[in-house]
Amino acid sequence: MNVEITVDARGARCPVPINELARAVETTSGSIIELLADDPNARVDVPVWCRLKHHELLGVTEAEGTWRFRLRAG
């Protein structure tokens, strides 16, 4: 699975990571999007947002304080 769009929201706090992710999703459908965020709230917010907006969350990893979310835009 190749990432087609990367959204780097490191340094931003809630709700900015979700807002930037939503903006990226608006421009695509079916693409793989990667969100980088260091806001601890993103760990909960992104999976919930994906479920509510019908996007497929493909994976979540954390390294050195940065969360990496991969999703398929619905």
Side-chain angles (χ1 to χ4, degrees):
M1 256 181 277
N2 294 331
V3 172
E4 297 171 32
I5 299 171
T6 298
V7 177
D8 189 348
R10 289 176 288 188
R13 296 293 171 238
C14 184
V16 175
I18 293 292
N19 291 343
E20 291 184 14
L21 181 57
R23 226 170 295 141
V25 167
E26 285 177 3
T27 63
T28 185
S29 180
S31 296
I32 305 298
I33 299 173
E34 176 179 71
L35 170 68
L36 304 174
D38 55 7
D39 179 0
N41 293 323
R43 178 66 180 105
V44 174
D45 293 346
V46 173
V48 170
W49 181 84
C50 285
R51 198 167 42 251
L52 290 172
K53 298 295 183 177
H54 307 288
H55 303 299
E56 180 184 3
L57 185 61
L58 302 172
V60 180
T61 58
E62 189 271 334
E64 299 179 16
T66 296
W67 293 98
R68 182 181 305 266
F69 302 89
R70 289 178 188 233
L71 63 111
R72 184 184 318 276

